[in-house]
Amino acid sequence: MNWPKHLKARVRQREPLKKHTSFRIGGPAKFFIEPHGLSSLKFLLSILKRYNVPPLLIGSGSNLLVNDKGVDAAVLHLSSPYFRRIVFKGGFLEAGAGVMLSRVISEAKRRGLSGAEFLAGIPGTVGGALAMNAGISEVHSSQLTVHSVGDLVGKVRIMDHNGNIRILDKKQIKFGYRKSSLAKYIILSARLRLVKKNKEEIENKIKGYIFRRRSTQDLKHYSAGCVFKNPEGESAGKLIDLCGLKGRGIGRAKVSFKHANFIINTGGATARDVLRLMSLIRKRVREKFNIDLEPEIKIWQ
Ligand code: EPU
């Protein structure tokens, strides 16, 4: 495949995806491409269509398991400065798909804008977080509350796979538990609605979320965060824990001692190790509780 000289993008061939996933697992991508801006992204999609190479989007790779053989696809990474812009207009924040959530939080805090604090510590990009409606659940006086990035959305700018750009209003987007109708598009940027608040209050909220994450989650090892979705009214981590699976390993993949819904890569784990461990967990939870756990992480088979 010959790439046109005037395509403004960084193209790498057979790029190991383990370099781009928080699991540090995954074989090579046929192509790994970082387009410079909108016109190069559109041009790129037309080339890929012509050569029949499917595009796959990657954000920070923090919720992703890539198979050991790699993918026969073009992995698109929106990491150029164009996709990493943040603009503030009144109570709105407009962020490119490639902006890390940590930057959204710190820039909002600097301006005394509140609403995004619950995203503190989630190692994702704006695009990835919107595609999977990232969020958290917390219990307040025995009431379970779920906060998701979809709650903050005003409008989202997307490109479809034919290169057409559209601005979608919140009403045109469906957000569910760890899913959204945006996943079928290429998310370009999002407008998030925030409210003015005292900076100290914002700072304290952020600290609280980070403290909770550090004290309950295994952040010392390579992982993809929670592996399974929480079944309705239940906690996947608790169910796996009750099956006595903490510390259970297959190959170099192991169920974390700190949080049972985390599978960690203890060094050199393969996707096969993780998938076999996931099957074992599902089997045990099914046998003991008659509940079928559904993966939360994206799997590129
Ligand atoms: N628990 C156990 N054993 C464990 C883990 C948890 O008994 O090994 C119990 C806890 O004691 C608690 C309950 O299970 O009573 C819930 O645990 P936790 O508070 O850790 O929250 P979670 O439901 O496991 C969810 C999200 C996390 C998010 C946290 C923090 C899902 C699948 N997980 O976890 O998201 O960070 O709330 O609000 O929705 C992720 O998406 O990757 C992720 C980690």
Side-chain angles (χ1 to χ4, degrees):
M1 187 163 166
N2 287 325
W3 293 95
K5 288 241 161 13
H6 56 288
L7 172 69
K8 291 198 177 72
R10 180 177 184 202
V11 180
R12 282 179 264 181
Q13 295 200 26
R14 295 202 53 77
E15 172 72 1
L17 290 172
K18 63 166 64 173
K19 277 168 60 181
H20 302 277
T21 60
S22 56
F23 245 145
R24 297 293 189 276
I25 292 174
K30 184 171 182 155
F31 301 111
F32 188 89
I33 311 177
E34 292 158 283
H36 288 187
L38 287 187
S39 49
S40 43
L41 175 60
K42 183 175 173 160
F43 184 37
L44 179 62
L45 292 175
S46 69
I47 300 170
L48 295 175
K49 196 165 257 179
R50 194 176 331 135
Y51 287 97
N52 226 356
V53 180
L56 286 175
L57 265 296
I58 194 165
S60 57
S62 58
N63 201 47
L64 182 63
L65 177 65
V66 179
N67 81 56
D68 303 310
K69 286 205 200 92
V71 289
D72 195 20
V75 174
L76 310 189
H77 192 219
L78 304 184
S79 55
S80 68
Y82 176 83
F83 295 106
R84 289 200 164 156
R85 291 194 303 196
I86 291 196
V87 183
F88 285 86
K89 289 178 198 149
F92 283 111
L93 171 162
E94 181 126 18
V99 174
M100 292 301 293
L101 295 176
S102 53
R103 219 183 117 214
V104 168
I105 295 156
S106 61
E107 298 269 337
K109 183 185 79 183
R110 215 151 59 83
R111 288 166 175 83
L113 290 171
S114 166
E117 296 88 318
F118 69 88
L119 298 171
I122 299 182
T125 57
V126 166
L130 282 168
M132 61 162 295
N133 196 18
I136 60 152
S137 29
E138 52 186 353
V139 182
H140 279 305
S141 38
S142 71
Q143 191 71 24
L144 182 79
T145 323
V146 179
H147 300 282
S148 310
V149 70
D151 306 338
L152 303 176
V153 163
K155 291 178 194 303
V156 179
R157 200 160 54 115
I158 54 101
M159 187 181 278
D160 67 20
H161 287 266
N162 294 317
N164 304 309
I165 295 174
R166 280 167 60 198
I167 293 178
L168 302 177
D169 204 70
K170 180 163 191 173
K171 285 187 277 264
Q172 295 168 282
I173 308 167
K174 280 200 191 89
F175 288 109
Y177 173 50
R178 295 295 191 274
K179 60 180 178 188
S180 95
S181 57
L182 293 168
K184 60 177 180 281
Y185 301 117
I186 298 170
I187 297 164
L188 303 172
S189 63
R191 207 177 238 219
L192 306 180
R193 279 189 293 224
L194 303 172
V195 289
K196 269 268 175 217
K197 245 188 201 158
N198 176 291
K199 279 189 195 172
E200 211 172 299
E201 215 179 305
I202 298 176
E203 173 83 44
N204 286 340
K205 264 184 147 181
I206 294 173
K207 280 192 182 145
Y209 284 115
I210 293 196
F211 175 78
R212 182 174 159 210
R213 204 168 266 274
R214 287 210 184 122
S215 48
T216 59
Q217 301 188 353
D218 192 331
L219 307 176
K220 290 217 172 90
H221 296 96
Y222 296 134
S223 81
C226 287
V227 172
F228 296 101
K229 292 184 181 178
N230 282 341
E232 183 97 44
E234 274 294 354
S235 156
K238 190 169 154 196
L239 299 177
I240 300 166
D241 194 353
L242 290 170
C243 288
L245 288 169
K246 276 187 169 172
R248 183 63 192 262
I250 291 187
R252 310 289 298 173
K254 196 159 112 176
V255 177
S256 163
F257 277 112
K258 194 155 180 192
H259 195 299
N261 199 9
F262 274 53
I263 289 180
I264 58 169
N265 174 0
T266 61
T270 60
R272 190 164 173 267
D273 294 337
V274 176
L275 290 168
R276 286 175 61 207
L277 191 51
M278 285 172 70
S279 299
L280 173 77
I281 293 169
R282 291 178 84 171
K283 182 168 172 275
R284 290 288 167 79
V285 170
R286 205 179 298 124
E287 282 166 2
K288 195 169 171 83
F289 299 105
N290 197 24
I291 290 177
D292 200 11
L293 290 180
E294 196 189 323
E296 182 199 291
I297 54 171
K298 281 262 158 305
I299 302 172
W300 288 356
Q301 296 277 16

